[in-house]
Amino acid sequence: MKNKDRNIYSEMLQAKSENRKLLAILLDPDKIVWENLDILISKIDQSPASHIFIGGSLVINNILDDLILKIKQNCVLPIVLFPGNPSQISDKADGILFLSLISGRNPDYLIGHQVKAAPILKQTNLEIIPTGYMLIESGGETAVERISKTKPLDRNNPDLVLATAQAGEMLGNKLLYLEAGSGAKQAVPLEIIRLISKNIEIPLIVGGGIIDLQGIQNAYDSGADLVVIGTAFENDMSFFDFRFENAETFNNR
Ligand code: 1GP
């Protein structure tokens, strides 16, 4: 399928309207073992995932284009860039979460990187999906916090989290992403997911520190429209194998 034939965001809205939950597997190019890629792709293809997100805090490996092309040979899932900085753009992907780190106050991550990325993105066919990205405190310093030099929002201050989410929606973001951070000790609190999902209209992505099926189900039950799984699948490519068969959680494929 060519990039222009796909409308990732419309499909997300459609899924939300049908209460069909979505699942993204997050691949960090720096952690890909090229020799294992075929099996990795077949595991993704057999999994309940609806999307592949690609990105990392650094991405020092210059394999982004090759990685995406290789995945596309064997898997039809939409590939969405989830970039840590403007160097992580590939026109081989289908779309990009155009992130603004609205939980923080670092201008580079609110507008600076976006200004650098805009002319590059203009040259691509990528579907650009403006996304309010909110880091929620999760029991330890995460890579996003370290690299962006921003503080996460206090997980015990739901009023501030809500106001930030509402501001993100009012600014015109099409998605909100509640992020505990990759490998977080504690996932985003369910009360926060519940509060935000009840008070915004746009689809809600939740990720960071979700390590089992129950965690995914809890996030869905609390109002997440799309859950992101990175580390758990990275550590165990069979993560979805036995969970898939009888799991009603995954009704998206
Ligand atoms: C990180 O939300 C994603 O940006 C996924 O987090 O690696 O903890 O699954 P995990």
Side-chain angles (χ1 to χ4, degrees):
M1 196 182 279
K2 291 201 193 99
N3 295 348
K4 60 182 164 51
D5 298 332
R6 182 160 243 157
N7 194 327
I8 298 165
Y9 188 63
S10 301
E11 287 166 11
M12 284 180 176
L13 288 179
Q14 183 71 24
K16 184 173 173 64
S17 73
E18 295 167 4
N19 199 29
R20 206 160 23 85
K21 300 297 184 179
L22 303 173
L23 178 78
I25 291 179
L26 172 65
L27 300 179
D28 181 342
D30 286 334
K31 296 191 180 147
I32 295 290
V33 180
W34 200 259
E35 295 74 52
N36 294 343
L37 194 54
D38 286 329
I39 172 116
L40 181 86
I41 296 169
S42 82
K43 290 286 186 189
I44 294 172
D45 199 43
Q46 291 155 24
S47 81
S50 55
H51 295 77
I52 297 172
F53 284 2
I54 296 193
S57 305
L58 287 174
V59 186
I60 43 180
N61 245 332
N62 198 13
I63 59 162
L64 202 50
D65 286 357
D66 291 345
L67 174 63
I68 294 169
L69 288 173
K70 177 86 178 157
I71 296 171
K72 280 187 168 287
Q73 282 169 8
N74 296 293
C75 180
V76 296
L77 295 179
I79 298 181
V80 181
L81 300 172
F82 173 49
N85 64 59
S87 71
Q88 298 171 23
I89 294 173
S90 165
D91 63 356
K92 309 289 184 275
D94 299 300
I96 181 167
L97 300 184
F98 197 54
L99 302 170
S100 185
L101 183 56
I102 58 175
S103 55
R105 297 295 179 267
N106 181 342
D108 287 343
Y109 289 84
L110 283 164
I111 185 63
H113 286 313
Q114 293 81 347
V115 169
K116 285 191 187 130
I120 305 169
L121 290 171
K122 269 286 179 193
Q123 307 292 322
T124 73
N125 284 323
L126 291 169
E127 181 179 337
I128 294 160
I129 310 173
T131 302
Y133 188 48
M134 297 171 53
L135 187 59
I136 312 293
E137 190 268 316
S138 61
E141 194 189 49
T142 61
V144 185
E145 182 179 347
R146 197 171 59 251
I147 289 170
S148 69
K149 299 190 180 66
T150 65
K151 288 281 156 223
L153 293 172
D154 180 352
R155 61 192 284 119
N156 297 311
N157 188 347
D159 290 347
L160 181 60
V161 178
L162 176 59
T164 306
Q166 287 173 325
E169 182 172 48
M170 289 173 192
L171 280 165
N173 286 293
K174 291 183 171 178
L175 296 173
L176 269 179
Y177 191 143
L178 295 179
E179 171 72 276
S182 191
K185 291 184 188 152
Q186 296 171 291
V188 176
L190 299 179
E191 314 82 69
I192 295 219
I193 300 175
R194 223 171 279 129
L195 179 70
I196 304 305
S197 72
K198 270 193 200 142
N199 286 284
I200 60 167
E201 301 292 322
I202 53 178
L204 182 63
I205 300 179
V206 177
I210 298 177
I211 51 167
D212 54 22
L213 180 65
Q214 192 58 54
I216 298 173
Q217 184 66 59
N218 290 344
Y220 286 153
D221 290 347
S222 306
D225 297 298
L226 185 153
V227 167
V228 184
I229 296 292
T231 307
F233 182 72
E234 207 171 83
N235 291 342
D236 174 14
M237 275 195 280
S238 306
F239 179 76
F240 289 108
D241 285 6
F242 69 93
R243 295 165 171 87
F244 190 16
E245 281 185 3
N246 298 315
E248 283 180 22
T249 305
F250 305 112
N251 55 2
N252 51 52
R253 294 187 77 179

